[in-house]
Amino acid sequence: MSPLPSLHRRLIAAALAGALASVPVPAALRAQPAMRAAAVATTAVRGDAAPMADVLAALPFGVGERLEYDAKVGPFRAGRGHMEVVAVEDVRGRQALHLAMHVSGSALGWKVRYQLDSWVEPRSFSSLRHTQDNLEGRTVRARAFEIFPDRGVFASGDDPESPTVANPLDDGSFLYFVRTVPLVVGQTYTFDRYFRPDRNPVRVTVARRERVKVPAGEFDAIVLQPVIKTKGLLSESARTEIWLSDDSRRMLLKMESHLKFGTLSLHLRSLQGTKP
């Protein structure tokens, strides 16, 4: 894997410094100097001072990236899915990256749909808005959240505002956030950043490296095991594994989630707009 340019590394570190500073770091991780530097760096280029174009350029993904997937339930092809960096959009007067993950299909009479849309402020990589439109069989879960990191609250519909955490993230934005974090095989990373505080911590275990073959080609991959106390693809009960490309792009190549109706898997079919 080729090293990231120096400015690229500093911008990522700066943009994530505030986000990672409050994250409990495992003892084994603290022993890694490069990881410690990425977690606490605040010098060189500060995320809150850098031009937005530089902050966006430092991320491993950019507007226009679209990853398309074949969806399977067990061995049966069941549908399609995609992950997309849609655009930079205005959310309450702030620039936000619109990130989307949509999966739909059916197999053996069971229909599924997962539509996660997230709007993330790129400097702190914090969620500002999140919507879910999920279907499993006959169960529909549709929610919309407005998240206010500056005030430390979130709201859904007519429900009263509830407290959130510093630098909050939602289900969909976590899949992009983890692409920005340096990852060491054998380590478990703990993040108290899920926007609903009672569902923290989020844990991501870096299980192994392996070569993986998907319709889009054959790639070196790093395999993650994320756990979020939520429902759906990333829930604790789903025992999800995620294969990310073992390069600077950290593209999602494959995902397997063990759901109550069977194992739902995504396999990268095509990619466009990815960074070099």
Side-chain angles (χ1 to χ4, degrees):
M1 178 173 62
S2 60
L4 295 175
S6 175
L7 177 60
H8 192 146
R9 292 198 308 270
R10 293 202 305 272
L11 283 168
I12 289 178
L16 295 176
L20 293 174
S22 61
V23 173
V25 181
L29 177 59
R30 290 196 296 269
Q32 302 288 335
M35 297 294 295
R36 184 172 63 249
V40 302
T42 57
T43 58
V45 180
R46 292 191 56 86
D48 55 358
M52 180 61 73
D54 290 346
V55 174
L56 295 174
L59 295 171
F61 44 83
V63 173
E65 180 191 87
R66 184 180 173 95
L67 308 176
E68 296 189 347
Y69 300 90
D70 291 330
K72 294 183 178 181
V73 174
F76 304 104
R77 183 169 175 175
R80 294 284 179 88
H82 71 267
M83 293 182 67
E84 184 176 11
V85 185
V86 180
V88 175
E89 299 175 359
D90 182 272
V91 176
R92 303 188 302 269
R94 302 176 69 177
Q95 289 182 298
L97 274 177
H98 179 185
L99 309 173
M101 181 178 186
H102 296 180
V103 180
S104 62
S106 63
L108 304 176
W110 192 276
K111 293 183 179 180
V112 296
R113 180 185 66 242
Y114 299 100
Q115 296 187 4
L116 305 177
D117 286 83
S118 307
W119 287 261
V120 173
E121 196 286 307
R123 297 180 189 278
S124 61
F125 217 87
S126 297
S127 296
L128 302 179
R129 178 176 292 157
H130 175 58
T131 63
Q132 304 175 5
D133 183 8
N134 299 338
L135 168 71
E136 289 185 8
R138 296 182 179 179
T139 302
V140 177
R141 288 190 297 271
R143 302 289 301 275
F145 301 93
E146 293 292 323
I147 306 170
F148 303 86
D150 51 338
R151 295 199 291 117
V153 298
F154 73 91
S156 177
D158 296 328
D159 294 343
E161 291 183 344
S162 300
T164 189
V165 299
N167 304 120
L169 291 170
D170 57 75
D171 306 57
S173 60
F174 253 109
L175 289 171
Y176 282 89
F177 169 72
V178 76
R179 294 174 62 182
T180 72
V181 178
L183 299 169
V184 177
V185 172
Q187 300 296 335
T188 294
Y189 300 79
T190 300
F191 303 102
D192 290 314
R193 291 195 54 182
Y194 191 66
F195 76 103
R196 305 179 78 163
D198 61 329
R199 300 186 182 185
N200 282 308
V202 176
R203 292 187 175 87
V204 179
T205 297
V206 187
R208 61 191 182 276
R209 280 189 168 89
E210 65 182 39
R211 189 80 172 166
V212 63
K213 188 174 183 179
V214 292
E218 195 167 346
F219 300 85
D220 290 325
I222 190 164
V223 185
L224 310 183
Q225 297 168 340
V227 176
I228 301 178
K229 298 175 184 177
T230 185
K231 297 182 182 295
L233 293 174
L234 300 179
S235 66
E236 286 183 292
S237 61
R239 306 191 313 280
T240 297
E241 284 196 323
I242 293 173
W243 284 254
L244 297 182
S245 61
D246 195 8
D247 57 25
S248 61
R249 297 173 296 177
R250 289 286 197 250
M251 300 178 299
L252 194 152
L253 304 170
K254 179 180 172 181
M255 181 166 69
E256 289 185 354
S257 294
H258 301 277
L259 303 170
K260 60 183 178 182
F261 58 85
T263 299
L264 176 65
S265 60
L266 300 177
H267 305 258
L268 183 65
R269 176 170 52 89
S270 65
L271 56 151
Q272 62 185 45
T274 58
K275 293 189 174 183

